[in-house]
Amino acid sequence: DELDETVALLRQSACRGVLGNHDQWTLDQADNAGSVSTLQYLRTLPLARSFIVEGVYVYLVHASPPLATMGGIRLLDENGRVISEHLAQWYKRLAGFGHDVLVVGHTHQIFAEQLGDTLVINPGSTLFNHSCAVLTLPECDLQWFGLSGCDPVSTWNWSDGSMGLMPRNS
């Protein structure tokens, strides 16, 4: 409901993002969603970004490389435990990827896993996981933050309908 205000803040801060599935949905529903300015901004978002910060090669994509906005890297089970078979599959898929850090999303899972030469980070969802992460480079130090008065929820699965809400007071 606050799409226009959110995009205005992203523009003001010169935030560099990538196109996600909800952004694409908004563009597909252009008659009913967002101002002209917001839609113009969403049209400028690339499917992926690759850049160097402090000598660290970083790649951003919404779901999984190289350009996916759906699917994604799902490493955790419904209890937030790493699924070793999935870890092994992605370790193999990312062999020779050529980036030091890969930042993904879409799966509503919070993790940071070193897969070969690549640190794979999913900061989770601000809405469903109540989370965000700050990566400091070149050290690759990662800090997680809970949002909306909640602790971060490691996994939020669409399949079981769980909202995954865990207030800090519980």
Side-chain angles (χ1 to χ4, degrees):
D1 293 333
E2 291 119 10
L3 179 61
D4 292 333
E5 293 85 359
T6 301
V7 167
L9 288 171
L10 292 171
R11 281 187 147 150
Q12 286 173 357
S13 67
C15 182
R16 295 184 289 174
V18 295
L19 187 77
N21 59 302
H22 285 266
D23 306 315
Q24 186 61 59
W25 178 85
T26 299
L27 289 171
D28 292 344
Q29 304 295 319
D31 292 339
N32 302 316
S35 68
V36 170
S37 175
T38 291
L39 297 173
Q40 287 172 337
Y41 171 81
L42 294 177
R43 285 186 195 101
T44 69
L45 293 176
L47 291 175
R49 287 188 187 270
S50 180
F51 49 90
I52 301 171
V53 177
E54 297 287 327
V56 178
Y57 289 81
V58 179
Y59 193 90
L60 305 177
V61 64
H62 179 71
S64 61
L67 301 172
T69 59
M70 299 294 284
I73 300 176
R74 188 176 296 274
L75 297 181
L76 307 178
D77 67 13
E78 64 274 3
N79 297 308
R81 292 186 299 259
V82 172
I83 302 169
S84 59
E85 296 84 16
H86 292 198
L87 198 65
Q89 289 169 355
W90 278 102
Y91 185 94
K92 188 174 181 178
R93 270 188 78 178
L94 292 173
F97 181 61
H99 288 79
D100 302 308
V101 175
L102 168 61
V103 181
V104 298
H106 188 69
T107 60
H108 305 132
Q109 297 191 345
I110 298 173
F111 58 78
E113 292 288 335
Q114 186 72 41
L115 299 177
D117 295 330
T118 304
L119 174 61
V120 181
I121 301 168
N122 187 330
S125 162
T126 57
L127 178 62
F128 299 114
N129 300 100
H130 315 291
S131 63
C132 70
V134 174
L135 176 65
T136 304
L137 298 173
E139 301 85 3
C140 288
D141 288 333
L142 194 59
Q143 285 185 286
W144 303 95
F145 296 93
L147 303 173
S148 302
C150 296
D151 287 329
V153 177
S154 62
T155 186
W156 186 91
N157 290 305
W158 292 96
S159 60
D160 67 6
S162 167
M163 287 295 288
L165 298 176
M166 295 177 59
R168 286 195 176 122
N169 299 354
S170 65

